[in-house]
Amino acid sequence: MSATLQTPPQGHETARTMTGAEIVLQALKDQGVEVIFGYPGGAVLPLYDALFQQNAIRHILVRHEQAAVHAAEGYARSTGKVGVVLVTSGPGATNAVTGLVDALMDSIPVICLTGQVPTHLIGNDAFQEADTTGITRPATKHNYLVKDIRKLASTVHEAFYVSKNGRPGPVVIDLPKDILIGKGPYTEAPQTPHRSYRPQTEPDARAIRDAVALLKGAKRPIVYAGGGVINAGPEASRLLGEFVRMTGMPCTNTLMGLGAYPSTDPQFLGMLGMHGTYEANLAMHGCDVMLNIGARFDDRVTGRLNAFSPGSKKIHADIDPSSINKNVKVDVAVVGDAGRVLAAMIEAWKQDGQQQDRGALAGWWRQIDEWRGKSCLHYVQEGSIIKPQHAVKRLYEITREMGRDTFITTEVGQHQMWAAQYFGFEQPNRWMTSGGLGTMGYGLPAAMGVQIAHPDALVIDIAGEASILMNIQEMGTLAQYRLPVKVFILNNEYMGMVRQWQELLHGSRYSESYSAALPDFVKLAESFHARGIRVTRAEDLDAGIREMLAHPGPVIADIAVAKDENCFPMIPSGAAHNEMILAPGQTGGVAGVTDEGKVLV
């Protein structure tokens, strides 16, 4: 939705009169903002001047506006707070659009303050003018163009409310320069609920009872949890664990939901979807009752829709009612916050007198264990050429040995999927990746935002040599703020996922997927005042990882991996979610399962 600001709910007007720039900063302070990621320009210089004259809010100077939004996303996703971005008009705002769409698709709360030409020049093709509200209408949860300074503070307060309540998302506030220079009253945040936007957080009791009745009567149940559980806060993840363990059901996570349920728990089936595990995808297809909580039935999970889990009853719990029945028709709809839904289901489960069919559940687990026996993520590391799976697994194992609080970001491609498959997450908010939009260049600036939020934590960007170059300029930001981010490049000299699709689906015609003329990443790191490491042999991998982790500053570790390795399992485009391509040498190659849960090979 988009709007030139209508009269929002007014708070208590104080006697203070401020410039527009001061009003914005005061509103940000009142909202608890500590950090802004931004890049200056003419239209926002009044705001930068006001920033210079205060010390409450820290500003991080990025090297590109897209990176500012990704950094704010990393900050938001690792803290649960709202990320804040400040960019100038025209190209500053348009450069931010990719990040805004990324935040929209992955439900990340971000406030983006954009400069605009003075109100009397809007629509006149003035220097560095763009129709920011028009451009960002489909890229944001909501946006505003402020033309009345008396409504400026209340607009900022409302933007925060909209961004973080209900399904989170990005909000743009377009700020004409004359509004920033002019003077007006400061309005405090309203204490009463918003008059029109009041998302439902408490689930309907009858829907909860219906969901519990279905699950208690199930013989082959499964819990499918997504990023909505992460967004609902750490308590929601704790409640998910409690519910899954008390019911004895298997649990799988989406790409965005990794960490919502501990990866080492025996009831965890791994990630599901296009590159999910054999057992997760077949259990989703063969289940008779499915509980989806905080996920949106996206195409990378469902595969071909008319073949998606055809024999199951489906329960969908989501805070966004528009997501329910959008892609997949469900039998029970539960609208509410994921944490409150789980709390209600735990209580209803305890109170419901129906007995669970434990015998059938035991049989279901025997079937799942047969699928697990396929060992779909097995690989063989032989010789000196480094398998990318091995590189990620050793990175995971060595960081676990160290016992440090570790946050992982990724770029997009094969390395992203290997990271999801082989790097285990025991807690929420430790995994930051671009899910819905699949934005190459996401990982490095996101890691920057995470490191700002958690200065003492270990932050690693697992990258590909193609994706990392999309926002490589942010190495300058790492240098300026002495951010000890580690970049772990799986370098196969290809746009790996593009090459894989070309091999499997386009007759091995590798059209423009070879990354020719790559830089020397060691020298590139050194040019940005960072440490550069290159590892080319498997026997040197552990030492290279330990050297990277031991260095107190930023590092680029260039890990030369097998050039022709593919990421499996894989659901081909247009296939059903039980039609997986397995790694060469694994029995069957393409596998399936009947509606009754029996394996087809």
Side-chain angles (χ1 to χ4, degrees):
M1 51 185 176
S2 172
T4 298
L5 180 67
Q6 304 299 313
T7 305
Q10 296 294 306
H12 170 66
E13 288 200 0
T14 72
R16 289 179 291 175
T17 297
M18 306 178 180
T19 67
E22 292 168 339
I23 289 172
V24 170
L25 290 183
Q26 186 60 51
L28 295 180
K29 291 175 191 176
D30 288 354
Q31 290 291 336
V33 174
E34 298 173 342
V35 181
I36 294 174
F37 301 91
Y39 200 93
V44 287
L45 285 185
L47 258 173
Y48 275 88
D49 190 53
L51 274 169
F52 183 82
Q53 299 178 62
Q54 59 84 53
N55 294 312
I57 297 177
R58 184 183 184 190
H59 180 276
I60 302 299
L61 177 65
V62 299
R63 273 42 179 180
H64 191 281
E65 292 87 354
Q66 177 188 344
V69 186
H70 293 328
E73 288 184 272
Y75 180 91
R77 292 172 71 166
S78 65
T79 63
K81 300 177 182 178
V82 178
V84 180
V85 178
L86 173 58
V87 300
T88 197
S89 63
T94 58
N95 279 348
V97 169
T98 297
L100 292 171
V101 179
D102 190 273
L104 180 69
M105 294 192 72
D106 287 347
S107 304
I108 310 303
V110 170
I111 299 294
C112 184
L113 306 168
T114 60
Q116 186 53 274
V117 300
T119 52
H120 69 277
L121 290 178
I122 292 175
N124 288 348
D125 294 331
F127 177 67
Q128 288 194 333
E129 180 190 1
D131 179 9
T132 300
T133 52
I135 291 167
T136 62
R137 185 174 290 114
T140 55
K141 183 178 179 182
H142 193 60
N143 64 16
Y144 303 90
L145 170 61
V146 183
K147 292 186 175 180
D148 184 345
I149 197 169
R150 294 171 298 177
K151 299 173 183 176
L152 177 56
S154 56
T155 300
V156 178
H157 295 313
E158 181 174 287
F160 273 83
Y161 175 86
V162 170
S163 179
K164 65 187 179 183
N165 282 277
R167 180 179 177 177
V171 175
V172 161
I173 309 173
D174 205 24
L175 300 165
K177 191 169 186 178
D178 56 320
I179 297 294
L180 294 176
I181 294 171
K183 290 191 174 183
Y186 180 70
T187 306
E188 295 176 353
Q191 300 302 309
T192 56
H194 194 279
R195 67 184 181 199
S196 60
Y197 181 55
R198 299 184 185 181
Q200 180 180 337
T201 57
E202 292 293 341
D204 177 73
R206 182 173 179 178
I208 291 291
R209 288 195 300 270
D210 290 345
V212 166
L214 266 183
L215 287 166
K216 279 212 170 179
K219 299 184 182 301
R220 301 186 307 277
I222 192 166
V223 178
Y224 148 44
V229 178
I230 306 283
N231 287 341
E235 178 65 5
S237 294
R238 188 194 69 77
L239 290 168
L240 174 66
E242 181 180 341
F243 181 76
V244 170
R245 292 184 192 102
M246 73 181 287
T247 62
M249 298 175 186
C251 180
T252 180
N253 286 158
T254 65
L255 177 71
M256 298 301 297
L258 293 176
Y261 193 84
S263 66
T264 55
D265 191 284
Q267 287 174 242
F268 185 57
L269 305 187
M271 181 179 71
L272 78 163
M274 179 169 279
H275 292 286
T277 65
Y278 182 81
E279 54 267 31
N281 284 331
L282 293 195
M284 284 285 284
H285 187 271
C287 70
D288 65 345
V289 178
M290 174 191 302
L291 170 61
N292 170 346
I293 182 154
R296 56 189 177 87
F297 288 115
D298 70 283
D299 62 291
R300 295 292 165 123
V301 163
T302 64
R304 194 173 71 249
L305 276 173
N306 63 4
F308 175 67
S309 195
S312 69
K313 298 286 187 181
K314 300 173 182 68
I315 305 159
H316 189 182
D318 203 292
I319 199 165
D320 179 7
S322 72
S323 290
I324 297 175
N325 291 317
K326 182 177 182 179
N327 296 327
V328 171
K329 179 72 174 174
V330 300
D331 299 277
V332 177
V334 184
V335 178
D337 172 83
R340 298 185 188 188
V341 169
L342 284 163
M345 291 193 72
I346 289 168
E347 187 61 29
W349 186 276
K350 293 175 180 177
Q351 292 180 358
D352 185 90
Q354 183 181 356
Q355 293 300 308
Q356 191 178 14
D357 189 340
R358 286 285 175 172
L361 184 61
W364 179 227
W365 273 111
R366 286 193 294 272
Q367 174 64 83
I368 289 170
D369 286 340
E370 284 186 30
W371 295 330
R372 278 177 165 168
K374 181 73 72 173
S375 299
C376 67
L377 298 181
H378 177 71
Y379 65 89
V380 177
Q381 174 62 53
E382 293 179 328
S384 290
I385 297 175
I386 303 169
K387 286 284 186 83
Q389 304 95 316
H390 181 64
V392 173
K393 187 175 181 182
R394 287 305 296 148
L395 178 67
Y396 167 60
E397 291 168 345
I398 291 171
T399 55
R400 277 181 65 87
E401 289 171 15
M402 295 174 61
R404 288 185 65 186
D405 195 10
T406 303
F407 294 77
I408 299 294
T409 71
T410 76
E411 309 294 334
V412 168
Q414 284 180 319
H415 65 272
Q416 176 190 28
M417 295 298 106
W418 283 316
Q421 291 172 335
Y422 294 96
F423 202 103
F425 297 93
E426 302 302 298
Q427 301 177 69
N429 305 105
R430 281 6 183 230
W431 165 251
M432 274 61 62
T433 196
S434 175
L437 194 61
T439 307
M440 293 175 71
Y442 170 89
L444 178 56
M448 202 162 68
V450 174
Q451 193 77 79
I452 289 290
H454 307 275
D456 298 324
L458 174 60
V459 182
I460 305 171
D461 173 27
I462 298 178
E465 82 292 332
S467 278
I468 193 64
L469 292 175
M470 288 280 191
N471 272 315
I472 195 65
Q473 75 285 339
E474 297 309 315
M475 289 299 297
T477 307
L478 299 188
Q480 179 172 343
Y481 297 98
R482 297 179 173 86
L483 302 176
V485 169
K486 318 304 181 192
V487 180
F488 190 74
I489 300 175
L490 303 182
N491 188 345
N492 57 13
E493 300 182 11
Y494 276 97
M495 299 173 204
M497 195 61 82
V498 174
R499 183 204 58 75
Q500 176 169 334
W501 281 49
Q502 288 174 334
E503 175 184 327
L504 298 176
L505 305 175
H506 298 279
S508 297
R509 293 181 292 277
Y510 302 126
S511 176
E512 303 298 327
S513 56
Y514 181 71
S515 297
L518 286 170
D520 181 327
F521 284 107
V522 173
K523 291 181 179 178
L524 188 148
E526 291 169 350
S527 73
F528 280 109
H529 316 287
R531 171 72 64 85
I533 299 169
R534 180 166 170 82
V535 179
T536 60
R537 303 188 310 161
E539 49 266 42
D540 300 327
L541 177 63
D542 282 15
I545 291 173
R546 294 185 192 279
E547 181 184 353
M548 175 187 78
L549 299 179
H551 184 68
V555 177
I556 294 179
D558 183 18
I559 312 299
V561 299
K563 297 181 182 182
D564 57 354
E565 191 72 13
N566 287 330
C567 185
F568 295 114
M570 176 184 175
I571 301 172
S573 180
H577 70 140
N578 64 321
E579 297 172 342
M580 286 166 281
I581 302 175
L582 304 180
Q586 290 187 329
T587 304
V590 177
V593 64
T594 68
D595 294 348
E596 292 74 33
K598 302 299 181 183
V599 180
L600 294 176
V601 177

